[in-house]
Amino acid sequence: MTEKHEQLDRAVKDFIWSIVEIHVQIEEIHKSWAQLLGISEPQWLVLMAIDELDEGRGVSGIAVANKLRIHPAFVTNQTKKLETMEYLVRAPSPDDARFLEMSLTQKARAEIAKLSVKRQGLNSTMFEGLDEASVDYLNKRLALIARNSRLASQKLSIGAL
């Protein structure tokens, strides 16, 4: 292996371990947010996915499952619990009554809004030293790496690598 390849290999390993550390810390943050609402971390992520995806008409369980990369049955199970806790409503889709669409309730929105001050402080701490342009640049590069890693994973699973 050439020195250039060794340097790239080391840089990639360092990058991957940084991502692993960030992932672990973000999981801890999600657990903290969930505890503040009296729900589980997966339930918190479901609420956040619904909040992110809902454009005023509700969002399907499949869209949430795809966003979180989890099984749709798990989303159904968790959203039933969240509905019982009055954090979301599930209603038949106006386009196809066989499917349910979910939206956050006012209660959920109010509880999430209460966390906004803490979230601002958290974001300031996490991204200290980076301006908006730097974060935008980083997000674009991470999106490219995510897309490329999905392709690499697919190639690996079919034996193309």
Side-chain angles (χ1 to χ4, degrees):
M1 189 181 291
T2 67
E3 185 178 332
K4 187 174 184 175
H5 279 89
E6 288 175 10
Q7 289 174 344
L8 178 59
D9 189 50
R10 179 76 255 160
V12 169
K13 285 180 183 178
D14 290 346
F15 171 81
I16 290 170
W17 283 112
S18 292
I19 294 295
V20 168
E21 174 65 16
I22 291 166
H23 175 75
V24 168
Q25 296 308 320
I26 289 174
E27 276 189 332
E28 289 301 314
I29 290 165
H30 287 161
K31 285 178 191 173
S32 294
W33 292 132
Q35 285 175 345
L36 290 170
L37 294 183
I39 60 178
S40 69
E41 179 193 1
Q43 289 169 335
W44 167 259
L45 290 172
V46 167
L47 288 180
M48 292 300 92
I50 292 169
D51 190 40
E52 176 75 18
L53 295 169
D54 190 354
E55 296 177 346
R57 290 190 44 197
V59 61
S60 72
I62 291 183
V64 172
N66 290 339
K67 176 84 173 164
L68 296 175
R69 307 227 187 295
I70 57 177
H71 197 278
F74 183 76
V75 172
T76 299
N77 181 291
Q78 295 306 307
T79 56
K80 286 179 180 178
K81 292 175 183 177
L82 289 164
E83 184 178 37
T84 300
M85 300 168 79
E86 299 178 350
Y87 281 123
L88 62 83
V89 292
R90 298 170 347 126
S93 168
D95 299 329
D96 188 339
R98 295 175 297 169
F99 298 101
L100 294 176
E101 292 188 349
M102 301 167 286
S103 297
L104 299 183
T105 62
Q106 283 305 112
K107 174 184 174 180
R109 292 187 191 288
E111 292 295 323
I112 292 167
K114 287 181 193 176
L115 303 175
S116 67
V117 172
K118 287 184 180 196
R119 188 179 291 194
Q120 288 171 358
L122 180 76
N123 291 344
S124 294
T125 302
M126 284 176 55
F127 293 95
E128 186 174 338
L130 298 173
D131 61 10
E132 185 179 338
S134 297
V135 174
D136 184 55
Y137 178 83
L138 179 62
N139 282 334
K140 287 177 181 171
R141 297 310 168 268
L142 288 172
L144 176 63
I145 293 167
R147 187 174 65 240
N148 290 345
S149 65
R150 281 191 297 274
L151 177 60
S153 176
Q154 290 168 350
K155 284 183 172 184
L156 186 62
S157 71
I158 63 170
L161 290 178

